[in-house]
Amino acid sequence: MKVSVLGGGSEVGASCLHIQIGNTNLLIDAGMRMHGDDLLPALGMLDGLGIPDCILVTHAHADHIGALPIVHSLYPSVPVYATPPTIDLMKVMMKDAFKIMEQRSKATDSLSAYTDDQVNRLLQSLLHFPASGILRIGDVTIKSYRAGHILGAVMFLIEGGGESLLVTGDLSFKAGRTIPGAVVPHDVSPDVVIMESTYGNRVHTDRNTEERRLSEHVAEVISGGGFALIPAFALGRAQEVLLTLQDYMDKGLIPEFPIYVDGLVTPISRIYKSYPHYLKGPVAHRIRRNGDAFLTEGRCKAVEPKERETLLQGKPACIVASSGMLTGGASSWYAERLVSGEKNAIFITGYQDEESPGKKLLDLADGLEQTLELNGTSYEVKCHVGKYGLSAHADANEMNRFIQSLKPTYTLLVHGDDEARSRLGELLDPRFNPVLAENGETYPFEKRASGRGIKGKRYQTSDGNNFLKEKIGNLLLYYSDDGQTMKPAICTGIHLKTNALICQTLKGKPVRLQYSQVAEFVGPWNGAVDELTDAVNEVFNFSRPILEKLDWGKLPEGELSIETIFDVIEPSDIREKLVIVLAMQSLPPEYRRKQDRGQAFYIIDDRMRTNLEKFDLPIEAIKMNPTAAMEKARDLLAQHPRFVRCGVNDLGTETERLTIYFDFPDAVKDSERKQLTDMLKKETGWDVSFSDSVRQDLLQKYISDIFGSDAGTPSIHLHERTVSLPAEKTAGSEQLIARFKETTGFQLRFKGEAEHTSETGKEHIFQVESSGNRMENNEAIAETKRWAEDRGLTIYKVGIKQEVVEVHFISPEIARRHEAELEELSWRIGRPVTYNKNPKQNEIIRITLESLPSDWEPKKNPSILIDRKTVSVKVAELPNEEEKKRISDKIERETGYALEVNR
């Protein structure tokens, strides 16, 4: 017996196997890769192998059938067998695959892999696998067994000349909503099993839980006014999703909402309903009773391309569309239009190829990406992204039990990435000789002298990697690509040939690491991943509270391993262990070294011990990230009567700080500021500063609230911290004045009292006696605009507040340069005039950016510092003083703001 792997060995895609048993040659599947330039299996290998006596198809997914038109054109007289549902599904899948391939060829000026005529010839030649489930070709017998996965999917047991081989295709042992799970042939013990291993490195989450999460999240998005897009594999996954959502609505577990079906999902669903005897009993019953179970009248409607725009202009709904990886088709069209809407969501329910847009979208949800490229255009992602485990593949434990049931002499693992196959290979009993199949390789198996079965080999292990095996099951920290940031992962196995650590992140993403990439092993973990994820997130979000619990003074001087440090400090749980590891990684390089196969040792002396006790080290997450810190500050200060907002200043520099903004900062005493500073430092880890900026709009409103409209329009003098009212002081005002001072920190003055002026020596309200009539509102606004145009003044808005015309300049500083003109305007319109006290920050930033020489290379947008009347910009290299002054003078002339330049 010989097994040749033409494709789909060390990958998910282009599945193709050549089997030789005795004098009979078989070809099983011939699929395509979904990405890259090399789409086809290694069909050139067929020249050196026996011409197939027949071709067998396990199921109708493109990665198993996509190259069949080429194979059929090479061997047009060789029969091609598949189950009846698979043949019907192939007629839809092949036509669509060819259309997409043609579009890609035109876009890339390349040749298609085959022609439309070749597709038609293949489809016309397909033969039904016998209803008995047994086919005899040459001197072998081929039996089919239900494989689960999708409609019509089968395994093939091939027997001949005393040898036997089972090819699983794609497997699913758990019954979904549409089809039963795989049949386990307990009475069969093949010599060789060729088994898929797509999810060989993981255990599936509970299906019911995932279905509930998906249904509830879709309902939440729609009730919030958004569209929920579910990109689904048209064949298999989409039907499961449609039944799930409708079942939850039928049971009243979620509200009713419309479902629209687009792309290949529609014709595939219609094929499903044609084979009720292949489906689960409840679904078959619904089809017989209602005529359909997927596209139901009034709830689930098929959409034509011409209806898509109208759909998105209508009421919120759920859209189930192909393809499942957003690589094209209807789902890609919808995603382009929904991905930037904050109310919308895209929910991923299946396997995502590493190069697919769907995988990039999941990376974005994990914080690894910021934008998504669809059809050559990059989009900012603002919609919600969710992932749900509705896999139609067997998981690692199921495959392990399956092999234990069959007890083969050899197990060839195909259809999986290296990490999945390696992990599964380690999980399987060595007695069954797991082999990680590689593309382009031929695996010969020698028949026993007795003529029954093939000769077996013992599984060999190497003592050289025993120290690595001890790390399996450990939580570890490894260095990311920048060599600075550390990330957590769980070691799940070892690649025996390279001694690499096979790991997966807490999100389930596979990672292969060399020992040198590991910063440190935190310790073994055998609990639930969700529990570990919560612990790790708590530490990486804010490590300081946990650091404060540890007695660093117990550390002895000397060169210590992490195990020794654990023994001394006695951490109580995985969180404290992780914090200790993070603290050790923050020691200066000269206090860290590696020896003995990479094991790390840490040098502790009085200085380092003191630094650890005072947290005077760059320990990761010693303070919250800026967003979390601001959210925490908002929560802590929510009840403070003066709190308005918070922000972060000088981010990324040594002076970065959390800045607190009050409406009336002068009303908050120094003693209270000290208490707030200490509290926020403890709760967020951030140093704190307080802005002196005053909310003038709230100040005016407060005056109106306590004095009423009779008080007139106030004059606010920020530098003197006084407010002047044009009204006369009345009896009993002293109590209001004291209350005003306590609440705002400003001194209140009435008409006739000592005047307080602005820094220019003039009042902010300009009113000149006019011989003309007082203009009404619209006339005054129009005349103000003409006045500005006549004098070449740039104003941004004219408004009227409490009978006073308010002119908006780019900043109050520019306005003060034109106070004489403002007096002239008052005379001209017969009304009092003032200017807006808030700068136009966007305009100041625009003018600043336009004024900066290109070789300054600003690192990001300038920052406006209102209290200092400056605009700050960070550049790669500081300019010379002469050039800096020239640019600063220009910006100051145009905006009233001085330029501050930093690196």
Side-chain angles (χ1 to χ4, degrees), residues 355 478 560 686 750:
E355 298 302 316
Y478 69 96
L560 311 177
W686 282 72
F750 288 86

Side-chain angles (χ1 to χ4, degrees), residues 853 881-891 893:
E881 288 301 320
E882 182 179 348
E883 182 179 41
K884 175 182 171 183
K885 184 178 186 308
R886 177 174 60 82
I887 301 301
S888 180
D889 289 347
K890 177 180 183 299
I891 293 172
R893 282 196 305 272

Side-chain angles (χ1 to χ4, degrees), residues 846-898:
R846 179 185 65 78
I847 290 172
T848 300
L849 289 173
E850 291 176 354
S851 302
L852 297 181
S854 58
D855 58 357
W856 281 25
E857 299 180 7
K859 294 182 179 180
K860 57 181 180 179
N861 275 347
S863 301
I864 300 293
L865 306 175
I866 296 176
D867 53 339
R868 291 158 54 186
K869 299 178 180 57
T870 60
V871 54
S872 175
V873 63
K874 293 183 180 181
V875 297
E877 295 292 337
L878 291 176
N880 61 58
E881 288 301 320
E882 182 179 348
E883 182 179 41
K884 175 182 171 183
K885 184 178 186 308
R886 177 174 60 82
I887 301 301
S888 180
D889 289 347
K890 177 180 183 299
I891 293 172
E892 200 277 335
R893 282 196 305 272
E894 296 183 29
T895 69
Y897 272 55

Side-chain angles (χ1 to χ4, degrees), residues 85-286:
T86 295
I87 291 176
D88 283 356
L89 292 168
M90 285 176 66
K91 292 175 181 177
V92 176
M93 298 293 288
M94 289 298 309
K95 291 286 188 181
D96 184 75
F98 178 74
K99 180 178 72 175
I100 294 174
M101 187 171 60
E102 279 280 89
Q103 292 172 347
R104 181 162 58 177
S105 297
K106 291 177 181 178
T108 58
D109 295 327
S110 60
L111 287 174
S112 294
Y114 42 78
T115 67
D116 187 46
D117 181 63
Q118 287 174 310
V119 173
N120 290 328
R121 288 179 182 274
L122 165 70
L123 296 177
Q124 292 166 8
S125 69
L126 296 173
L127 300 174
H128 286 183
F129 199 92
S132 65
I134 299 175
L135 175 67
R136 290 179 174 84
I137 299 290
D139 54 2
V140 303
T141 299
I142 305 165
K143 296 180 182 178
S144 67
Y145 296 89
R146 187 179 68 229
H149 189 56
I150 63 168
L151 177 66
V154 290
M155 300 180 275
F156 293 117
L157 176 67
I158 305 162
E159 299 173 296
E163 299 171 299
S164 61
L165 169 76
L166 179 74
V167 179
T168 69
D170 287 0
L171 279 173
S172 179
F173 294 100
K174 288 189 176 73
R177 287 183 174 265
T178 54
I179 58 174
V183 169
V184 179
H186 291 287
D187 57 340
V188 171
S189 184
D191 297 311
V192 177
V193 172
I194 302 177
M195 185 171 68
E196 71 126 324
S197 53
T198 313
Y199 289 116
N201 60 331
R202 70 190 74 176
V203 176
H204 292 323
T205 52
D206 177 66
R207 179 66 173 248
N208 293 330
T209 300
E210 294 301 286
E211 289 181 348
R212 176 180 54 78
R213 287 179 58 239
L214 174 64
S215 301
E216 291 177 351
H217 290 173
V218 169
E220 288 171 6
V221 169
I222 295 171
S223 65
F227 284 85
L229 171 63
I230 303 179
F233 298 115
L235 176 47
R237 186 60 45 77
Q239 290 72 38
E240 294 284 319
V241 169
L242 293 178
L243 290 183
T244 298
L245 295 177
Q246 295 185 78
D247 183 59
Y248 268 73
M249 283 191 269
D250 287 339
K251 293 178 179 177
L253 298 174
I254 58 175
E256 292 274 347
F257 52 78
I259 303 172
Y260 294 101
V261 176
D262 204 343
L264 277 191
V265 179
T266 301
I268 295 298
S269 296
R270 287 171 178 156
I271 292 174
Y272 263 63
K273 78 171 184 177
S274 300
Y275 290 91
H277 50 300
Y278 278 77
L279 306 177
K280 290 180 68 176
V283 182
H285 176 71
R286 287 169 61 182

Side-chain angles (χ1 to χ4, degrees), residues 727-773:
E728 299 285 348
K729 187 175 181 180
T730 60
S733 295
E734 292 301 330
Q735 186 175 357
L736 293 178
I737 293 172
R739 173 181 159 195
F740 186 79
K741 174 72 173 177
E742 181 180 0
T743 301
T744 68
F746 276 62
Q747 184 68 40
L748 198 60
R749 302 287 183 184
F750 288 86
K751 185 176 181 180
E753 295 184 318
E755 292 191 357
H756 285 251
T757 59
S758 68
E759 60 197 69
T760 60
K762 298 182 179 180
E763 292 291 346
H764 292 170
I765 301 287
F766 305 94
Q767 187 165 12
V768 179
E769 293 290 336
S770 172
S771 59
N773 293 327

